[in-house]
mmCIF file of all heavy atoms in Angstrom:
data_model
loop_
_atom_site.group_PDB
_atom_site.id
_atom_site.type_symbol
_atom_site.label_atom_id
_atom_site.label_comp_id
_atom_site.label_asym_id
_atom_site.label_seq_id
_atom_site.Cartn_x
_atom_site.Cartn_y
_atom_site.Cartn_z
ATOM 1 N N LEU O 1291 91.454 119.741 104.435
ATOM 2 C CA LEU O 1291 91.036 118.583 103.644
ATOM 3 C C LEU O 1291 89.936 117.816 104.356
ATOM 4 O O LEU O 1291 90.023 117.567 105.569
ATOM 5 C CB LEU O 1291 92.215 117.631 103.401
ATOM 6 C CG LEU O 1291 93.372 118.165 102.550
ATOM 7 C CD1 LEU O 1291 94.521 117.179 102.581
ATOM 8 C CD2 LEU O 1291 92.905 118.413 101.126
ATOM 9 N N ALA O 1292 88.908 117.442 103.595
ATOM 10 C CA ALA O 1292 87.926 116.489 104.120
ATOM 11 C C ALA O 1292 88.589 115.118 104.211
ATOM 12 O O ALA O 1292 89.557 114.839 103.505
ATOM 13 C CB ALA O 1292 86.709 116.431 103.197
ATOM 14 N N PRO O 1293 88.098 114.231 105.093
ATOM 15 C CA PRO O 1293 88.719 112.902 105.218
ATOM 16 C C PRO O 1293 88.806 112.152 103.901
ATOM 17 O O PRO O 1293 89.821 111.531 103.598
ATOM 18 C CB PRO O 1293 87.804 112.186 106.221
ATOM 19 C CG PRO O 1293 87.188 113.278 107.019
ATOM 20 C CD PRO O 1293 87.023 114.426 106.079
ATOM 21 N N GLU O 1294 87.740 112.225 103.074
ATOM 22 C CA GLU O 1294 87.777 111.498 101.810
ATOM 23 C C GLU O 1294 88.774 112.127 100.828
ATOM 24 O O GLU O 1294 89.383 111.434 100.018
ATOM 25 C CB GLU O 1294 86.387 111.435 101.178
ATOM 26 C CG GLU O 1294 85.735 112.770 100.883
ATOM 27 C CD GLU O 1294 84.942 113.315 102.066
ATOM 28 O OE1 GLU O 1294 85.135 112.817 103.192
ATOM 29 O OE2 GLU O 1294 84.138 114.238 101.846
ATOM 30 N N GLN O 1295 88.968 113.471 100.916
ATOM 31 C CA GLN O 1295 89.972 114.114 100.076
ATOM 32 C C GLN O 1295 91.378 113.698 100.490
ATOM 33 O O GLN O 1295 92.221 113.388 99.639
ATOM 34 C CB GLN O 1295 89.828 115.632 100.169
ATOM 35 C CG GLN O 1295 88.588 116.197 99.490
ATOM 36 C CD GLN O 1295 88.487 117.699 99.659
ATOM 37 O OE1 GLN O 1295 88.781 118.243 100.734
ATOM 38 N NE2 GLN O 1295 88.066 118.388 98.613
ATOM 39 N N GLU O 1296 91.632 113.685 101.795
ATOM 40 C CA GLU O 1296 92.957 113.290 102.285
ATOM 41 C C GLU O 1296 93.268 111.853 101.906
ATOM 42 O O GLU O 1296 94.392 111.524 101.486
ATOM 43 C CB GLU O 1296 93.025 113.465 103.808
ATOM 44 C CG GLU O 1296 94.406 113.187 104.377
ATOM 45 C CD GLU O 1296 94.507 113.564 105.845
ATOM 46 O OE1 GLU O 1296 93.532 114.083 106.404
ATOM 47 O OE2 GLU O 1296 95.590 113.326 106.422
ATOM 48 N N SER O 1297 92.272 110.978 102.025
ATOM 49 C CA SER O 1297 92.481 109.579 101.661
ATOM 50 C C SER O 1297 92.788 109.445 100.173
ATOM 51 O O SER O 1297 93.687 108.696 99.778
ATOM 52 C CB SER O 1297 91.239 108.762 102.023
ATOM 53 O OG SER O 1297 91.396 107.421 101.633
ATOM 54 N N ALA O 1298 92.049 110.187 99.327
ATOM 55 C CA ALA O 1298 92.269 110.103 97.883
ATOM 56 C C ALA O 1298 93.647 110.624 97.501
ATOM 57 O O ALA O 1298 94.340 110.035 96.661
ATOM 58 C CB ALA O 1298 91.171 110.888 97.146
ATOM 59 N N LEU O 1299 94.079 111.728 98.118
ATOM 60 C CA LEU O 1299 95.407 112.265 97.821
ATOM 61 C C LEU O 1299 96.507 111.321 98.289
ATOM 62 O O LEU O 1299 97.530 111.153 97.618
ATOM 63 C CB LEU O 1299 95.563 113.637 98.477
ATOM 64 C CG LEU O 1299 94.689 114.752 97.907
ATOM 65 C CD1 LEU O 1299 94.860 116.025 98.711
ATOM 66 C CD2 LEU O 1299 95.002 115.013 96.438
ATOM 67 N N ALA O 1300 96.297 110.696 99.450
ATOM 68 C CA ALA O 1300 97.286 109.739 99.944
ATOM 69 C C ALA O 1300 97.424 108.550 99.003
ATOM 70 O O ALA O 1300 98.532 108.074 98.726
ATOM 71 C CB ALA O 1300 96.886 109.273 101.348
ATOM 72 N N LEU O 1301 96.315 108.072 98.479
ATOM 73 C CA LEU O 1301 96.366 106.948 97.543
ATOM 74 C C LEU O 1301 97.006 107.356 96.216
ATOM 75 O O LEU O 1301 97.683 106.554 95.567
ATOM 76 C CB LEU O 1301 94.958 106.407 97.313
ATOM 77 C CG LEU O 1301 94.348 105.664 98.513
ATOM 78 C CD1 LEU O 1301 92.886 105.331 98.249
ATOM 79 C CD2 LEU O 1301 95.123 104.394 98.808
ATOM 80 N N ALA O 1302 96.790 108.616 95.817
ATOM 81 C CA ALA O 1302 97.448 109.094 94.599
ATOM 82 C C ALA O 1302 98.965 109.131 94.782
ATOM 83 O O ALA O 1302 99.722 108.733 93.889
ATOM 84 C CB ALA O 1302 96.913 110.486 94.241
ATOM 85 N N LEU O 1303 99.405 109.590 95.940
ATOM 86 C CA LEU O 1303 100.839 109.586 96.236
ATOM 87 C C LEU O 1303 101.393 108.172 96.233
ATOM 88 O O LEU O 1303 102.463 107.894 95.684
ATOM 89 C CB LEU O 1303 101.083 110.245 97.599
ATOM 90 C CG LEU O 1303 101.337 111.748 97.609
ATOM 91 C CD1 LEU O 1303 101.391 112.256 99.041
ATOM 92 C CD2 LEU O 1303 102.622 112.087 96.879
ATOM 93 N N ARG O 1304 100.662 107.275 96.865
ATOM 94 C CA ARG O 1304 101.119 105.885 96.945
ATOM 95 C C ARG O 1304 101.248 105.266 95.546
ATOM 96 O O ARG O 1304 102.222 104.600 95.232
ATOM 97 C CB ARG O 1304 100.139 105.071 97.791
ATOM 98 C CG ARG O 1304 100.449 103.582 97.837
ATOM 99 C CD ARG O 1304 99.403 102.860 98.662
ATOM 100 N NE ARG O 1304 99.591 103.111 100.082
ATOM 101 C CZ ARG O 1304 99.886 102.177 100.980
ATOM 102 N NH1 ARG O 1304 100.054 100.929 100.577
ATOM 103 N NH2 ARG O 1304 100.031 102.464 102.236
ATOM 104 N N GLU O 1305 100.236 105.474 94.695
ATOM 105 C CA GLU O 1305 100.274 104.903 93.357
ATOM 106 C C GLU O 1305 101.425 105.485 92.538
ATOM 107 O O GLU O 1305 102.099 104.770 91.786
ATOM 108 C CB GLU O 1305 98.951 105.145 92.646
ATOM 109 C CG GLU O 1305 98.879 104.628 91.215
ATOM 110 C CD GLU O 1305 99.077 103.131 91.112
ATOM 111 O OE1 GLU O 1305 98.816 102.425 92.106
ATOM 112 O OE2 GLU O 1305 99.493 102.665 90.034
ATOM 113 N N SER O 1306 101.647 106.790 92.675
ATOM 114 C CA SER O 1306 102.751 107.399 91.924
ATOM 115 C C SER O 1306 104.090 106.846 92.386
ATOM 116 O O SER O 1306 104.982 106.584 91.560
ATOM 117 C CB SER O 1306 102.720 108.916 92.082
ATOM 118 O OG SER O 1306 102.942 109.284 93.440
ATOM 119 N N ALA O 1307 104.275 106.643 93.710
ATOM 120 C CA ALA O 1307 105.518 106.069 94.212
ATOM 121 C C ALA O 1307 105.698 104.636 93.716
ATOM 122 O O ALA O 1307 106.807 104.217 93.374
ATOM 123 C CB ALA O 1307 105.525 106.115 95.738
ATOM 124 N N THR O 1308 104.608 103.878 93.666
ATOM 125 C CA THR O 1308 104.681 102.505 93.156
ATOM 126 C C THR O 1308 105.127 102.487 91.699
ATOM 127 O O THR O 1308 105.968 101.678 91.299
ATOM 128 C CB THR O 1308 103.306 101.826 93.291
ATOM 129 O OG1 THR O 1308 102.908 101.834 94.662
ATOM 130 C CG2 THR O 1308 103.362 100.389 92.797
ATOM 131 N N ASN O 1309 104.576 103.398 90.887
ATOM 132 C CA ASN O 1309 104.971 103.462 89.484
ATOM 133 C C ASN O 1309 106.430 103.874 89.314
ATOM 134 O O ASN O 1309 107.123 103.401 88.409
ATOM 135 C CB ASN O 1309 104.061 104.441 88.732
ATOM 136 C CG ASN O 1309 102.664 103.886 88.542
ATOM 137 O OD1 ASN O 1309 102.446 102.674 88.600
ATOM 138 N ND2 ASN O 1309 101.695 104.764 88.333
ATOM 139 N N VAL O 1310 106.899 104.772 90.198
ATOM 140 C CA VAL O 1310 108.308 105.165 90.141
ATOM 141 C C VAL O 1310 109.202 103.958 90.393
ATOM 142 O O VAL O 1310 110.195 103.724 89.691
ATOM 143 C CB VAL O 1310 108.590 106.288 91.160
ATOM 144 C CG1 VAL O 1310 110.106 106.492 91.331
ATOM 145 C CG2 VAL O 1310 107.949 107.595 90.718
ATOM 146 N N LEU O 1311 108.851 103.159 91.417
ATOM 147 C CA LEU O 1311 109.661 101.987 91.747
ATOM 148 C C LEU O 1311 109.639 100.951 90.629
ATOM 149 O O LEU O 1311 110.656 100.326 90.327
ATOM 150 C CB LEU O 1311 109.147 101.356 93.043
ATOM 151 C CG LEU O 1311 109.421 102.130 94.339
ATOM 152 C CD1 LEU O 1311 108.654 101.497 95.494
ATOM 153 C CD2 LEU O 1311 110.912 102.152 94.648
ATOM 154 N N ARG O 1312 108.495 100.786 90.002
ATOM 155 C CA ARG O 1312 108.345 99.691 89.037
ATOM 156 C C ARG O 1312 108.840 100.052 87.639
ATOM 157 O O ARG O 1312 109.445 99.227 86.956
ATOM 158 C CB ARG O 1312 106.868 99.285 88.937
ATOM 159 C CG ARG O 1312 106.343 98.540 90.139
ATOM 160 C CD ARG O 1312 104.880 98.230 89.914
ATOM 161 N NE ARG O 1312 104.341 97.369 90.970
ATOM 162 C CZ ARG O 1312 103.061 97.008 91.044
ATOM 163 N NH1 ARG O 1312 102.220 97.438 90.127
ATOM 164 N NH2 ARG O 1312 102.644 96.232 92.020
ATOM 165 N N HIS O 1313 108.550 101.276 87.187
ATOM 166 C CA HIS O 1313 108.678 101.542 85.763
ATOM 167 C C HIS O 1313 109.612 102.689 85.384
ATOM 168 O O HIS O 1313 110.156 102.667 84.281
ATOM 169 C CB HIS O 1313 107.288 101.871 85.159
ATOM 170 C CG HIS O 1313 106.220 100.918 85.570
ATOM 171 N ND1 HIS O 1313 106.267 99.576 85.278
ATOM 172 C CD2 HIS O 1313 105.050 101.121 86.254
ATOM 173 C CE1 HIS O 1313 105.173 98.978 85.758
ATOM 174 N NE2 HIS O 1313 104.430 99.897 86.356
ATOM 175 N N SER O 1314 109.752 103.701 86.243
ATOM 176 C CA SER O 1314 110.296 104.967 85.741
ATOM 177 C C SER O 1314 111.809 104.985 85.601
ATOM 178 O O SER O 1314 112.344 105.654 84.718
ATOM 179 C CB SER O 1314 109.853 106.110 86.661
ATOM 180 O OG SER O 1314 110.567 106.048 87.894
ATOM 181 N N GLY O 1315 112.523 104.295 86.503
ATOM 182 C CA GLY O 1315 113.983 104.415 86.518
ATOM 183 C C GLY O 1315 114.430 105.774 87.030
ATOM 184 O O GLY O 1315 115.558 106.201 86.754
ATOM 185 N N ALA O 1316 113.581 106.477 87.778
ATOM 186 C CA ALA O 1316 113.895 107.819 88.266
ATOM 187 C C ALA O 1316 114.858 107.764 89.446
ATOM 188 O O ALA O 1316 114.961 106.756 90.155
ATOM 189 C CB ALA O 1316 112.618 108.545 88.666
ATOM 190 N N THR O 1317 115.567 108.892 89.650
ATOM 191 C CA THR O 1317 116.439 109.039 90.830
ATOM 192 C C THR O 1317 115.940 110.129 91.767
ATOM 193 O O THR O 1317 116.414 110.239 92.892
ATOM 194 C CB THR O 1317 117.871 109.370 90.390
ATOM 195 O OG1 THR O 1317 117.859 110.585 89.617
ATOM 196 C CG2 THR O 1317 118.451 108.227 89.553
ATOM 197 N N GLN O 1318 114.982 110.927 91.292
ATOM 198 C CA GLN O 1318 114.441 112.006 92.110
ATOM 199 C C GLN O 1318 112.920 112.074 91.929
ATOM 200 O O GLN O 1318 112.418 111.954 90.813
ATOM 201 C CB GLN O 1318 115.053 113.362 91.725
ATOM 202 C CG GLN O 1318 116.519 113.541 92.077
ATOM 203 C CD GLN O 1318 116.738 113.643 93.580
ATOM 204 O OE1 GLN O 1318 115.875 114.156 94.303
ATOM 205 N NE2 GLN O 1318 117.887 113.163 94.047
ATOM 206 N N VAL O 1319 112.218 112.296 93.032
ATOM 207 C CA VAL O 1319 110.767 112.477 93.012
ATOM 208 C C VAL O 1319 110.441 113.718 93.838
ATOM 209 O O VAL O 1319 110.972 113.894 94.941
ATOM 210 C CB VAL O 1319 110.027 111.251 93.588
ATOM 211 C CG1 VAL O 1319 108.520 111.516 93.620
ATOM 212 C CG2 VAL O 1319 110.326 110.011 92.780
ATOM 213 N N ARG O 1320 109.585 114.558 93.301
ATOM 214 C CA ARG O 1320 109.140 115.754 94.010
ATOM 215 C C ARG O 1320 107.605 115.759 94.086
ATOM 216 O O ARG O 1320 106.933 115.451 93.114
ATOM 217 C CB ARG O 1320 109.624 117.036 93.311
ATOM 218 C CG ARG O 1320 111.129 117.229 93.386
ATOM 219 C CD ARG O 1320 111.549 118.527 92.701
ATOM 220 N NE ARG O 1320 112.961 118.765 92.874
ATOM 221 C CZ ARG O 1320 113.506 119.393 93.927
ATOM 222 N NH1 ARG O 1320 112.700 119.880 94.882
ATOM 223 N NH2 ARG O 1320 114.811 119.573 94.006
ATOM 224 N N ALA O 1321 107.128 116.139 95.250
ATOM 225 C CA ALA O 1321 105.685 116.251 95.452
ATOM 226 C C ALA O 1321 105.387 117.586 96.121
ATOM 227 O O ALA O 1321 106.161 118.055 96.967
ATOM 228 C CB ALA O 1321 105.152 115.105 96.299
ATOM 229 N N ALA O 1322 104.270 118.191 95.717
ATOM 230 C CA ALA O 1322 103.879 119.476 96.295
ATOM 231 C C ALA O 1322 102.366 119.521 96.443
ATOM 232 O O ALA O 1322 101.632 119.142 95.524
ATOM 233 C CB ALA O 1322 104.359 120.627 95.411
ATOM 234 N N LEU O 1323 101.930 119.969 97.602
ATOM 235 C CA LEU O 1323 100.498 120.144 97.875
ATOM 236 C C LEU O 1323 100.289 121.596 98.262
ATOM 237 O O LEU O 1323 100.907 122.094 99.207
ATOM 238 C CB LEU O 1323 100.036 119.224 98.996
ATOM 239 C CG LEU O 1323 98.560 119.334 99.390
ATOM 240 C CD1 LEU O 1323 97.667 118.834 98.258
ATOM 241 C CD2 LEU O 1323 98.275 118.555 100.661
ATOM 242 N N ARG O 1324 99.392 122.260 97.546
ATOM 243 C CA ARG O 1324 99.197 123.682 97.803
ATOM 244 C C ARG O 1324 97.771 124.077 97.415
ATOM 245 O O ARG O 1324 97.057 123.305 96.755
ATOM 246 C CB ARG O 1324 100.196 124.515 97.007
ATOM 247 C CG ARG O 1324 100.059 124.357 95.505
ATOM 248 C CD ARG O 1324 101.190 125.034 94.756
ATOM 249 N NE ARG O 1324 101.046 124.880 93.303
ATOM 250 C CZ ARG O 1324 101.429 123.804 92.626
ATOM 251 N NH1 ARG O 1324 101.982 122.774 93.269
ATOM 252 N NH2 ARG O 1324 101.258 123.749 91.322
ATOM 253 N N ALA O 1325 97.390 125.266 97.808
ATOM 254 C CA ALA O 1325 96.094 125.829 97.440
ATOM 255 C C ALA O 1325 96.287 126.808 96.303
ATOM 256 O O ALA O 1325 97.191 127.659 96.353
ATOM 257 C CB ALA O 1325 95.455 126.524 98.631
ATOM 258 N N GLU O 1326 95.466 126.667 95.263
ATOM 259 C CA GLU O 1326 95.481 127.592 94.134
ATOM 260 C C GLU O 1326 94.063 128.091 93.903
ATOM 261 O O GLU O 1326 93.224 127.390 93.329
ATOM 262 C CB GLU O 1326 96.020 126.905 92.875
ATOM 263 C CG GLU O 1326 97.491 126.590 92.902
ATOM 264 C CD GLU O 1326 97.981 126.036 91.571
ATOM 265 O OE1 GLU O 1326 97.151 125.923 90.633
ATOM 266 O OE2 GLU O 1326 99.175 125.697 91.464
ATOM 267 N N GLY O 1327 93.799 129.310 94.354
ATOM 268 C CA GLY O 1327 92.444 129.847 94.217
ATOM 269 C C GLY O 1327 91.445 129.007 95.007
ATOM 270 O O GLY O 1327 91.555 128.865 96.222
#
């Protein structure tokens, strides 16, 4: 990952976790980072 890519992915994770806490009512969260082609 380039530094700007890593930063963008980290912020995406953070925003998704914030939405889970605020709105979703979820009990489980899964995240996966992988290479596809």
Side-chain angles (χ1 to χ4, degrees):
L1291 295 172
E1294 59 272 16
Q1295 289 178 320
E1296 185 172 357
S1297 178
L1299 292 176
L1301 289 172
L1303 269 173
R1304 175 182 286 243
E1305 178 61 24
S1306 64
T1308 301
N1309 288 339
V1310 168
L1311 288 171
R1312 288 179 173 176
H1313 313 299
S1314 73
T1317 59
Q1318 291 291 328
V1319 177
R1320 292 181 175 273
L1323 179 67
R1324 62 188 180 278
E1326 290 186 1

